[in-house]
Structure formats: structure tokens, C-alpha cells
Amino acid sequence: MDRARKRPIVYAIRDFPPGCGTNPANFPDKDHFTNSRTSDDVVSDSEPVGASPKEEQKFRTSKHDRVLVRAPKPEETCLKLQEPALRSFHDRVLGAPKYKGSCSKQEPESKHSDHDHVVAAPPTPREKVLEVLRAFKDVYRELDRDKQARRGGDSFDATARIDLKAQAFLESEGKHVNAEKRIGPVPGINIGDEFQYKTELRLVGLHFKTMCGIDYMDVGGVKYATSIVASEGYGYNDKFEAGVVIYTGEGGNVISKHEKKTEDQRMIKGNLALANSMRHKTEVRVIRGLERWDGKGKRYVYDGLYLVDKYWLENGVSGKSMYKFKLCKIPGQTH
């Protein structure tokens, strides 16, 4: 084939609808949409100066069809940080907050396919209880480290019980569970669970009164016992048998600034709540106060649900009358 020979040219004329094609002249100028020197939503409606009639007509027909779309601005979140001296204790014990800086733009969430998206399961009641107990031990350990420093400072701080201070701190931070009193089992608590302090019983919702052995609640104007802490030995008159607890009522000890005396116990408060639980056959949680393995104080073991079988009055060593309650364990409990 003769390369010098030119290929034949075929001319074709096709009719296209108006506005069809990719001629840049068909697109409105960038300045028709935004004014970069002012704000994103300012658009000039003035006609171009010195434009040809064709361009003027083009401007008149397009300016009413323009659509203004404002790009979303990234939200900014500022984390107000506490002073290092104020937040150091919180960070050491409960963990420092996770942040990259004091002020940062919110980053868009990463895009994953449906197969890569994993939703973490919410913690179980048992996991919540264990987490609270771990937090208590961490706070207690941190406060105990400063014991010598507190002894050299304020006298109240030097003598205050660390477990009470740890409990108050965790409750102020919302680090407690089962905060409402209830009759019957407590979510996340198993029979045989052991605690070192009564304050731990309060933080997990097992027994709220740290200074009293009988805890109770008011239901419809009637007091019902929710739990008791029964202790054998160390001057306590409670007795444990196989599935039976003989519990001594509360009250009778009057302590004043000048003397300590005893008086007859009365059928009020916790004693009345236990009597009502017997009449209405409501469950009572029993926590046993047992001697610690090292012989230093007591440990508390949850023993399950009991029913109050009966109660009576008898004379104590001091000659004053006291109430005795017999509670029997509900059979078939495994947790």
C-alpha cells in the first residue's frame, strides 16, 4: 500500500440536542457559584460587564438554575483538661482519658464492609461486678501508698478508714453497680463470693449498710429485710449450723461520750424488717462474717438466700432482752 496516499475523508453532520457535548464554554464559570473572598453562600447575581449578547442571554438563563451546595465543615471537639495535679490521682487509678490533644478536629469514621464491622457485646452483670471490685482494690492500694504522708498532715485524713474513702471516691465517679436496693438475688453475684470489706458489699449492691448488720427497704409502707451480715465469735452471738443461721437482732447498745450501756432491744428498724420478712415469706440475703486467713479482722462470704423461720426474745449476758431470728437456707441454690 502506498503510504503516501491519503486515506479518504468522510464528512458527517449530526444533530445533537442543545447543550450536549463537552465544550468547556457550555459550563458556567466558577465565579458564578462562590465568592472565595467572602463566604461560601455568597453568589453574585450581577451580569458580566462587556459580555456579548449571546453570553448575556446565557447568564440570564443559567443564573436561576444554579444550585448552591455548601460543604460540611468538620466539627471540632475540645477536651477541657484538668490541671495535672488534680487529675493525676484519677488517671493513675481509673486510667487516663484517651485523646490526641487538647483540641482536635473530629475524624471521620473509617469505612468498613459489613463483614469487617464487629459490634462488641455489652458487659455481663458478672463482668460489671468484677470490674468494680478491681477498681476498688486499685483505689485502696493508691490511698494506702500515701498513708505516711497523711499521718504528717491532717489528723482526719491520717485516721480515716481507707476503705470508706475508696468507696466514697468510686461512688462519686459512678463506679458502682446495682445501686438500687432489691429483695432476692443480685445480678452478677454468686454464692461463695468473698469480700474483704463491707464497703465492697455496698459497691456491688449486696449490702448497703456498712455500719449495721441488717439492711432493709420500704415497700408500700412496710419494711422488709434485704440482707444481713451474720458473724460468729469476736463477741457476736450469731451461730451457724448446716443451712441454718441463728441471728441476734440489732440495738440495745447505747454509746455516749461518758459511758457505754445496754438496754432492751426493740421491735423497730431492722428487727421489724426481719419480722415482716417472716410474715410475708420474702427472701433475705445472708453474708457470713468469717475470720480472715491471716487472723487480722474478718472477711465476708455471700451464702445465698434464706427465709426467716421464727424469732423470739431471750435475756443476754447483760440481763437485757434481745431478739433472736432463725433463718433457713432455701434449698436448690447453686449460684
Side-chain angles (χ1 to χ4, degrees), residues 183 214-217 223-227 270 273-274 277 282-284:
I183 296 174
I214 306 175
D215 195 5
Y216 56 89
M217 63 183 295
K223 291 181 174 61
Y224 295 94
T226 58
S227 57
L274 279 173
S277 295
T282 58
E283 301 165 331
V284 179

Side-chain angles (χ1 to χ4, degrees), residues 13-295:
I13 300 176
R14 298 177 180 175
D15 294 331
F16 290 91
C20 193
T22 58
N23 188 354
N26 292 334
F27 294 97
D29 189 62
K30 179 180 179 181
D31 294 337
H32 289 182
F33 291 92
T34 59
N35 186 344
S36 59
R37 296 182 180 273
T38 56
S39 62
D40 293 341
D41 53 354
V42 176
V43 180
S44 175
D45 288 336
S46 60
E47 299 182 3
V49 180
S52 64
K54 183 176 181 181
E55 291 178 344
E56 292 179 1
Q57 179 65 25
K58 173 183 174 182
F59 176 83
R60 294 190 188 97
T61 57
S62 61
K63 70 177 182 179
H64 299 291
D65 299 331
R66 285 174 291 169
V67 178
L68 177 62
V69 179
R70 180 185 296 181
K73 295 183 179 180
E75 297 182 4
E76 296 186 2
T77 56
C78 296
L79 301 178
K80 296 181 180 179
L81 302 181
Q82 302 173 349
E83 294 297 330
L86 298 178
R87 75 168 189 266
S88 59
F89 175 77
H90 182 283
D91 294 351
R92 290 199 308 271
V93 175
L94 300 181
K98 297 180 180 180
Y99 52 84
K100 296 182 180 179
S102 60
C103 184
S104 60
K105 291 185 177 180
Q106 186 177 0
E107 298 180 357
E109 298 181 356
S110 58
K111 296 182 179 179
H112 298 283
S113 64
D114 294 338
H115 299 287
D116 297 333
H117 184 64
V118 178
V119 179
T124 64
R126 183 64 176 176
E127 291 171 341
K128 292 179 181 180
V129 167
L130 295 178
E131 178 60 30
V132 168
L133 295 176
R134 281 193 293 267
F136 176 84
K137 288 179 173 58
D138 292 340
V139 174
Y140 186 96
R141 192 180 301 112
E142 188 69 24
L143 290 172
D144 194 40
R145 289 192 186 125
D146 300 332
K147 183 184 295 183
Q148 296 298 330
R150 291 198 312 278
R151 285 179 177 173
D154 186 82
S155 59
F156 175 78
D157 288 339
T159 58
R161 283 172 46 184
I162 298 177
D163 62 309
L164 292 175
K165 298 186 71 175
Q167 168 219 318
F169 173 77
L170 290 172
E171 287 183 346
S172 67
E173 295 291 324
K175 299 293 184 179
H176 57 108
V177 293
N178 305 317
E180 296 183 359
K181 290 187 179 183
R182 70 189 70 207
I183 296 174
V186 176
I189 303 296
N190 296 336
I191 294 177
D193 284 349
E194 185 172 315
F195 307 86
Q196 188 173 358
Y197 299 97
K198 276 188 177 180
T199 48
E200 292 177 289
L201 304 177
R202 176 186 173 102
L203 289 172
V204 299
L206 193 59
H207 186 86
F208 285 84
K209 292 185 177 293
T210 57
M211 303 300 293
C212 299
I214 306 175
D215 195 5
Y216 56 89
M217 63 183 295
D218 191 289
V219 180
V222 180
K223 291 181 174 61
Y224 295 94
T226 58
S227 57
I228 63 171
V229 177
S231 300
E232 194 174 29
Y234 293 97
Y236 295 91
N237 298 315
D238 305 332
K239 295 187 180 300
F240 302 148
E241 299 176 4
V244 175
V245 173
I246 305 299
Y247 182 75
T248 304
E250 65 180 12
N253 295 321
V254 180
I255 301 175
S256 63
K257 294 182 179 179
H258 306 288
E259 62 178 346
K260 177 180 179 181
K261 62 180 182 178
T262 59
E263 62 182 19
D264 293 336
Q265 291 184 352
R266 294 184 293 169
M267 182 54 69
I268 59 173
K269 298 182 179 180
N271 295 335
L272 178 60
L274 279 173
N276 289 334
S277 295
M278 183 200 72
R279 295 187 186 99
H280 296 273
K281 301 186 182 303
T282 58
E283 301 165 331
V284 179
R285 297 186 296 271
V286 172
I287 300 104
R288 293 193 179 191
L290 304 175
E291 183 181 0
R292 289 175 53 178
W293 306 115
D294 56 5

